[in-house]
Amino acid sequence: MVQLIDLVKSGKVVDLVLFFLETSGEYSQIQLTKKVGLAKATAVKWLRLMVNAKILQIRKIGPTNLYTINSDHRLVKIIKELNNEK
């Protein structure tokens, strides 16, 4: 299991969480790579880790994976709180 500190260290997880907090809805991997500015390989890696850590929820429609934020996750709550303090 991935430690939360390892996820946060990269910054990519925080960028993805902030994107989801600023928007609502479900996004495919392709949409996320374009909107957050990640390379495909980077997106695949971090999305998989975030799903495994239960930060993101996944819904499959055919070959497409749609991702949404798990707003009940403690890391999401912390990032949301820190972002609101700006």
Side-chain angles (χ1 to χ4, degrees):
M1 175 122 183
V2 176
Q3 297 292 318
L4 287 179
I5 192 70
D6 294 331
L7 291 173
V8 175
K9 275 191 220 177
S10 84
K12 305 297 183 201
V13 171
V14 175
D15 292 343
L16 284 163
V17 169
L18 287 173
F19 170 77
F20 277 106
L21 290 175
E22 293 168 0
T23 62
S24 61
E26 297 178 313
Y27 295 92
S28 69
Q29 173 192 315
I30 293 169
Q31 291 172 314
L32 290 169
T33 57
K34 290 179 183 175
K35 293 185 185 274
V36 181
L38 299 174
K40 181 181 177 184
T42 303
V44 168
K45 172 186 173 182
W46 290 108
L47 290 172
R48 181 176 27 85
L49 289 172
M50 291 174 75
V51 168
N52 289 342
K54 297 184 178 19
I55 297 168
L56 294 179
Q57 298 169 333
I58 190 170
R59 183 168 68 103
K60 293 182 181 265
I61 298 180
T64 304
N65 294 331
L66 296 175
Y67 299 91
T68 56
I69 193 81
N70 177 3
S71 55
D72 293 330
H73 193 279
R74 65 183 177 196
L75 178 64
V76 173
K77 289 179 181 179
I78 291 168
I79 292 172
K80 184 176 183 179
E81 185 177 313
L82 290 172
N83 192 44
N84 288 337
E85 289 183 5
K86 285 185 180 179

